[in-house]
Amino acid sequence: MTHRVYLLAGIMVLLMVGFLLRLFELQVIEGEHLAQAVDQSRLVTEILPPRRGRILDRNGTPITDNRAVYHLAVVLADLELSGRARRDIPVYRFDEQRLDALTADLAVRQPRPPAELRDILLTELLSHPAVAQRTGARKRDADLALVTVPRRALAPSGADTDIDTQRLVESDLLVDDPREALARELTLRWKQPVEVCTEDELHAAAQRLDEDFAGGSDEHALAVLDPFLRAYPLHLDVPGHPPVDVALRLIEADRRVQAEAVLAQLLGEVPQLVHEHLDRALAAARKPLPDLGVYFAPSARAEAIAPLLPTGQELPEIRLGAVPGVRERVLLVQGDPPDGDGLFSQLQRHLAASLGVDGEWLGALLEKHGERLRPVVCERDYGLHQIILDPVRVERLALGLSSQLTALGRPTTRLDIEQALAAARAVADRAWDGQTHVDPIALVSDLPHALIVRLAGHNCAPPADLAKAFDDADSPLPGLSIQVDLGREYPFPGAASHLIGTVARGRDPEQRSGPITWQGRSGLEGHYDSVLRGVSGLQVRLRTPDGASVVRDEAPVAGTDLVTELDMELQVLAEDSLTHWYDLAKALGTTTEAMANSVAHDCGKGVAGFALIDCHTGAILALATTPGYRLEDLRTKYHELDQTRGKPLLDYATMPDQMPGSVMKICTALACLEYGVLTPGEIIYCGDAMGHTPKGEKILSEHGGAVGDCDLPTAIQRSSNVYFATIARRLGGERLAAFASQFGLGRNNALDVSDQRPGFLPRPSTIARDRPAEPHWAPNDDWRFGIGQFPTTAPIQVVVLAAAVANGGHIVRPYLVAPAGPPEVVDLHIRKDYLAEVRHGMEMVTANVPHSTAKSLVLEGAAAGCKVAAKTGTSERGSPETRRNGTTPDNAWMIGYAPADNPTVAFACFIHSGTFGGQACTPVVKRILERYFAKYGRGGHAVRQAPAE
């Protein structure tokens, strides 16, 4: 029995010794290796982009397509320190107050304004990868306002409520000075004392402090106080008084204490003495503000004030602008390792160079004002992983990648890579799906395929045991990875750019924390983004030192192709025709001296617009504008495009900034017939003007060939001003505006064209609001409205006028993509004989008879025999003097439809400073219609062709 006990005890001792030996081996001998293996084992999430749907024209030709886009990405976790090396790195926390203290300390030693110093500090800190940004605990109420009460409203009135009013006057609820009311509002909302002074009062108080403590020989006080006292522009807009803008400073209690402590340390005084002197200096500097005739109070006390007001007296609010410091920003700066330089030293050298100071002195200031913490404390305080980067790996990546990219033809500096790393860190700190410190984050975007092939493999890491044995055994470009994405390409460069629109990297608006994907921002890309976008896929890999395995794999779902009504052949031709309208006019022989002068002086700056639609459905076949731009240039040349003459970023086919001129006469004619103020066949005598001044000058002159008796078709053919001004006066502006609005004038009329504006549609009932300088509707306003010299329109709007005449009195809504149901068409129920009058006149416009304004609009070639019905327009701009000297030539317009006997399409053309609609627009319309009928024949495009696969 005893032997068995001894044997069992011996076995237990041997097992215990074996256990301890194994534990010693795991903890001491293999501990570092195992810790590294654990550190290198992680789940990596990769978002798989879906194929975005293409945009096709009506014949199946791609307008936009997909192409491969290559990005260099970085996995920040591969650049991090681990183990004890990570734990030994300090982190310096700078909240708003500590950053203000650092700025103040610099300001008393630097001949620069404190605001400039603070901007330099923030710029350098936020663009360095060693700095993380967090949101502080301080979150303040930003919904601030003041309430006002007119002083006269509180004067005794003999009513019973005077007792309440007197109590209100004698209370401290109301004050004369808006600064005091603002201070109370901030104090009540922010739960801490806040004082307010003006910018001038702060300067005066600082000067007095300098005199008190240094006899005026030094000027340190303003440099110290400035960073701590937030600037706030107060805008007071009290009814009956001119607006008042006051530059204020907010003196928060905790910031004031800190500013006084810094100033006391600088002056060698006690903070209490500085506090007392500052109180006296601010009181002495106080100056009254302009009297606005009202009492002020904080909105936080409005409920206490309202019951004491006289009956019927309101309590108007003055909303306050954004108050600084509502959300506190905290910066976490990575320090140096105990045994050498690191990213902190690198950052201090950058800052020293930008500020022009000694680097070691600046580093001492950073350590003095920053709160020193350990990484684990930062993680506990903010609930976020604190990235601690390895300075050796960061330097290797920055230097290696910048030299590689430069050698391969893309010049890049080390500073560029460091700033890109800082941007990647900011993304990782948000911890969005697929965008954390363990996931690839884009570092350098949109690189060519050949360059990516050269860089592939540079990030290959050596085996863990080799890396452990040799200090320099690391990948040439640590942390780098290659991402393949899908981008957009445009088979018709520069064509239909406004219609196509842009895409940008972003999130699904319905998913705040979803993956970053391509999102449509404008145009068709934006309007139909949900159709084109598709659904991103997801791949999750488990990465270990032994390799990687896929634990989750969800394939992306491709977006749907979008078929539009556009014909890209006609679209490209229309844009080219608008660009070369003058050359086309010369070839056709329709140029005039006024047109030549306009082109020579570049008065129109190339601005023009054109619309071609199916006159029965509203389908847009072409919607062109010039000048144009390439969508690829928006990212790199936006500001250049924005400053280019002619403003190519604006769509002149859809933005109604110009008066339509005589094309408006078609609307006037239909309205007058419909309301019964004009009858078919009625003859109206048209003199040389609507009237004359006492000096004999003409008021609203008539065109030379239009004097005499006119019926409606003749008035349309000759574009008689007097005729249409006369019938517009019979109708009146209110009824004409109501009729015009049915066609889409004064509103956005197209279904899915994003770059639209409503334009200006005048009405007698709203003229006081729209034209406050001349608030009354005058008789000549009816005249001007009737001939198109009052409203503003765009080709996409007035083309509907022509379509309605062509299709028998139906209003269509233009669209780029066919709606799910039938097209939106509204029947005006216009009598056939009314439409016949207007059609006859529009056909006479292009007839080869005297006084026709577009007799050169005769189609040739394959389109020969297709008669065009049209109406020309010439809209005046500028003043009589600028029109006489030629600096503001007239704009040219034309609308119409074809074929006249069996219409299929309607068109509208606008050429800025084209001077005459018949001469400038005719060659453009002629060229486009000839191509249209050569392609589709007299029957038109009505039979849709199947999209190409």
Side-chain angles (χ1 to χ4, degrees):
M1 184 68 178
T2 305
H3 294 291
R4 292 181 180 178
V5 172
Y6 286 139
L7 178 62
L8 183 60
I11 293 173
M12 293 297 294
V13 169
L14 289 174
L15 289 175
M16 183 62 68
V17 170
F19 174 76
L20 291 174
L21 289 174
R22 181 56 179 164
L23 183 62
F24 177 79
E25 180 183 13
L26 291 175
Q27 290 289 334
V28 178
I29 299 176
E30 299 182 17
E32 186 175 348
H33 174 72
L34 294 174
Q36 183 180 10
V38 171
D39 187 60
Q40 292 180 355
S41 300
R42 61 176 70 100
L43 287 175
V44 178
T45 302
E46 183 178 358
I47 302 300
L48 304 178
R51 182 190 71 82
R52 189 169 177 86
R54 300 176 299 167
I55 301 178
L56 311 175
D57 81 346
R58 62 181 300 106
N59 300 306
T61 303
I63 304 174
T64 67
D65 211 336
N66 294 307
R67 65 180 176 89
V69 178
Y70 301 97
H71 312 293
L72 288 179
V74 64
V75 178
L76 292 173
D78 290 341
L79 300 179
E80 285 195 86
L81 290 168
S82 61
R84 178 174 297 177
R86 181 180 191 273
R87 293 193 296 271
D88 289 343
I89 297 291
V91 175
Y92 296 94
R93 177 161 58 190
F94 288 87
D95 57 15
E96 295 283 358
Q97 294 187 9
R98 291 179 179 276
L99 191 63
D100 290 341
L102 175 61
T103 305
D105 224 341
L106 286 170
V108 297
R109 297 170 173 84
Q110 286 286 299
R112 295 188 185 184
E116 181 181 337
L117 291 172
R118 184 183 177 90
D119 288 342
I120 294 174
L121 282 171
L122 285 174
T123 300
E124 291 290 350
L125 290 170
L126 294 176
S127 59
H128 197 277
V131 181
Q133 187 174 181
R134 302 284 188 265
T135 299
R138 177 185 297 179
K139 295 182 181 180
R140 294 163 163 172
D141 188 356
D143 188 19
L144 304 174
L146 301 181
V147 294
T148 61
V149 180
R151 287 202 186 97
R152 64 177 182 275
L154 302 184
S157 63
D160 294 339
T161 57
D162 277 353
I163 297 176
D164 291 337
T165 302
Q166 184 64 26
R167 190 188 317 161
L168 178 60
V169 172
E170 293 174 354
S171 72
D172 65 345
L173 294 173
L174 304 177
V175 293
D176 294 316
D177 194 328
R179 291 170 296 186
E180 177 62 25
L182 175 60
R184 294 184 182 185
E185 174 78 350
L186 295 171
T187 299
L188 291 169
R189 300 286 187 186
W190 290 359
K191 311 301 182 187
Q192 72 158 328
V194 181
E195 304 170 71
V196 176
C197 69
T198 66
E199 191 75 34
D200 292 339
E201 291 168 353
L202 173 63
H203 284 255
Q207 184 177 356
R208 176 158 180 168
L209 283 177
D210 289 328
E211 293 172 354
D212 289 348
F213 291 105
S217 60
D218 295 317
E219 296 181 355
H220 292 322
L222 183 61
V224 172
L225 294 174
D226 182 88
F228 292 97
L229 311 185
R230 300 184 186 277
Y232 177 65
L234 177 64
H235 178 75
L236 297 173
D237 193 359
V238 177
H241 295 270
V244 174
D245 292 295
V246 187
L248 298 179
R249 290 298 188 109
L250 308 184
I251 310 175
E252 302 169 48
D254 53 353
R255 287 177 172 270
R256 174 172 174 170
V257 169
Q258 192 175 13
E260 290 169 349
V262 174
L263 189 56
Q265 184 179 11
L266 178 68
L267 298 173
E269 302 287 351
V270 295
Q272 181 60 33
L273 182 62
V274 174
H275 177 83
E276 294 171 359
H277 278 261
L278 181 56
D279 273 343
R280 288 197 294 268
L282 287 172
R286 195 78 166 179
K287 288 188 169 54
L289 294 180
D291 185 8
L292 298 177
V294 297
Y295 292 116
F296 295 92
S299 65
R301 302 300 302 274
E303 292 184 2
I305 297 171
L308 302 177
L309 291 174
T311 303
Q313 176 60 45
E314 297 180 349
L315 198 60
E317 270 192 346
I318 299 176
R319 305 302 302 176
L320 300 181
V323 178
V326 171
R327 292 182 64 87
E328 184 181 33
R329 174 167 49 193
V330 178
L331 302 180
L332 302 175
V333 182
Q334 177 178 326
D336 281 342
D339 54 352
D341 288 350
L343 294 179
F344 185 84
S345 296
Q346 182 191 94
L347 175 60
Q348 86 180 31
R349 288 192 291 269
H350 286 183
L351 279 169
S354 297
L355 295 170
V357 299
D358 178 72
E360 292 187 5
W361 172 76
L362 181 59
L365 278 184
L366 289 169
E367 293 180 354
K368 168 188 172 184
H369 291 289
E371 181 186 3
R372 186 182 175 106
L373 304 170
R374 291 185 301 154
V376 66
V377 175
C378 296
E379 293 173 338
R380 182 192 62 208
D381 288 351
Y382 298 102
L384 290 175
H385 174 77
Q386 182 65 32
I387 297 174
I388 301 296
L389 297 172
D390 183 344
V392 175
R393 291 186 178 184
V394 170
E395 183 175 15
R396 177 172 291 181
L397 175 62
L399 286 176
L401 185 55
S402 62
S403 61
Q404 288 280 354
L405 289 174
T406 301
L408 294 173
R410 180 157 177 165
T412 308
T413 67
R414 171 180 174 170
L415 183 61
D416 293 333
I417 301 301
E418 289 176 354
Q419 291 176 346
L421 282 171
R425 177 176 189 147
V427 173
D429 281 341
R430 297 187 182 102
W432 286 327
D433 294 344
Q435 297 280 290
T436 68
H437 72 292
V438 301
D439 302 311
I441 300 173
L443 192 67
V444 183
S445 297
D446 205 359
L447 293 173
H449 177 78
L451 192 150
I452 286 292
V453 170
R454 299 283 297 275
L455 289 173
H458 278 69
N459 65 325
C460 293
D465 55 346
L466 188 62
K468 179 182 177 182
F470 298 93
D471 291 339
D472 291 332
D474 200 354
S475 60
L477 300 175
L480 199 67
S481 66
I482 295 174
Q483 288 182 316
V484 182
D485 202 351
L486 290 177
R488 288 306 229 184
E489 68 175 359
Y490 306 99
F492 300 91
S497 296
H498 297 85
L499 302 181
I500 296 170
T502 59
V503 292
R505 302 286 289 173
R507 275 186 174 74
D508 185 342
E510 299 178 359
Q511 298 180 13
R512 295 184 178 181
S513 61
I516 298 286
T517 59
W518 288 108
Q519 305 287 329
R521 295 300 190 211
S522 63
L524 290 167
E525 297 274 21
H527 193 88
Y528 293 101
D529 182 62
S530 60
V531 175
L532 295 165
R533 184 192 315 148
V535 180
S536 298
L538 181 69
Q539 186 177 84
V540 181
R541 299 187 301 275
L542 176 61
R543 196 179 84 176
T544 70
D546 300 325
S549 59
V550 177
V551 298
R552 182 179 176 186
D553 194 0
E554 298 175 4
V557 179
T560 304
D561 288 348
L562 186 71
V563 180
T564 70
E565 297 292 339
L566 288 171
D567 184 312
M568 283 308 293
E569 182 181 357
L570 297 177
Q571 177 72 24
V572 172
L573 182 71
E575 293 179 7
D576 181 75
S577 300
L578 292 178
T579 301
H580 301 98
W581 69 268
Y582 184 69
D583 296 331
L584 295 174
K586 283 199 299 184
L588 191 62
T590 61
T591 56
T592 64
E593 183 178 353
M595 290 166 61
N597 291 336
S598 170
V599 173
H601 292 93
D602 194 22
C603 297
K605 305 180 185 64
V607 170
F610 180 84
L612 181 71
I613 69 171
D614 183 318
C615 62
H616 299 285
T617 66
I620 298 173
L621 303 174
L623 192 62
T625 178
T626 58
Y629 63 91
R630 295 167 64 99
L631 283 164
E632 300 93 327
D633 292 341
L634 277 181
R635 187 177 60 184
T636 58
K637 300 181 180 179
Y638 179 85
H639 294 292
E640 179 182 336
L641 291 170
D642 191 45
Q643 299 301 319
T644 300
R645 286 173 60 82
K647 299 293 184 183
L649 296 178
L650 300 181
D651 187 347
Y652 297 102
T654 63
M655 294 185 177
D657 296 330
Q658 303 295 331
M659 292 179 289
S662 294
V663 301
M664 183 68 187
K665 293 172 181 176
I666 299 301
C667 180
T668 303
L670 291 173
C672 290
L673 288 168
E674 191 65 18
Y675 279 103
V677 301
L678 178 69
T679 57
E682 181 179 352
I683 303 297
I684 297 175
Y685 176 77
C686 300
D688 62 349
M690 283 296 289
H692 297 80
T693 67
K695 295 182 179 180
E697 297 173 342
K698 295 179 181 179
I699 303 175
L700 188 58
S701 299
E702 182 60 282
H703 297 300
V707 176
D709 290 336
C710 275
D711 60 6
L712 179 57
T714 304
I716 293 174
Q717 175 210 357
R718 301 179 177 183
S719 196
S720 170
N721 283 337
V722 172
Y723 184 95
F724 286 98
T726 300
I727 63 175
R729 181 175 56 187
R730 296 179 184 176
L731 182 64
E734 199 67 51
R735 290 193 291 183
L736 181 53
F739 193 80
S741 68
Q742 297 181 80
F743 292 91
L745 275 67
R747 59 185 173 86
N748 297 339
N749 67 320
L751 284 175
D752 52 4
V753 177
S754 58
D755 285 340
Q756 293 186 80
R757 294 177 185 167
F760 174 56
L761 186 63
R763 294 175 182 268
S765 58
T766 60
I767 194 64
R769 180 197 65 197
D770 300 328
R771 191 179 63 186
E774 300 177 48
H776 301 292
W777 188 272
N780 68 337
D781 288 332
D782 290 329
W783 307 350
R784 294 167 55 217
F785 196 170
I787 65 170
Q789 289 296 143
F790 203 169
T792 61
T793 57
I796 193 63
Q797 293 175 320
V798 293
V799 72
V800 177
L801 280 172
V805 176
N807 64 29
H810 298 83
I811 298 173
V812 297
R813 287 200 69 181
Y815 58 85
L816 290 166
V817 177
E824 189 172 328
V825 178
V826 178
D827 190 354
L828 290 177
H829 302 289
I830 299 177
R831 285 171 44 175
K832 292 183 178 180
D833 55 337
Y834 294 171
L835 288 171
E837 289 272 293
V838 176
R839 284 175 174 166
H840 181 42
M842 294 180 69
E843 291 175 24
M844 289 174 63
V845 168
T846 61
N848 189 18
V849 296
H851 309 305
S852 293
T853 56
K855 61 181 66 178
S856 297
L857 186 50
V858 179
L859 304 186
E860 299 174 311
C866 289
K867 171 73 174 174
V868 182
K871 177 69 191 80
T872 60
T874 302
S875 65
E876 296 178 348
R877 63 190 189 92
S879 64
E881 181 181 354
T882 59
R883 289 196 293 273
R884 282 192 297 270
N885 63 31
T887 57
T888 57
D890 298 339
N891 294 330
W893 284 87
M894 179 183 283
I895 64 171
Y897 56 88
D901 56 349
N902 186 24
T904 59
V905 289
F907 61 85
C909 182
F910 159 72
I911 299 176
H912 195 289
S913 301
T915 69
F916 299 105
Q919 285 85 347
C921 297
T922 290
V924 173
V925 173
K926 174 180 166 67
R927 187 187 188 201
I928 297 170
L929 290 182
E930 286 176 348
R931 180 71 63 85
Y932 171 82
F933 287 112
K935 182 173 185 176
Y936 292 107
R938 288 183 59 91
H941 61 278
V943 179
R944 184 190 297 274
Q945 300 179 21
E949 293 296 331

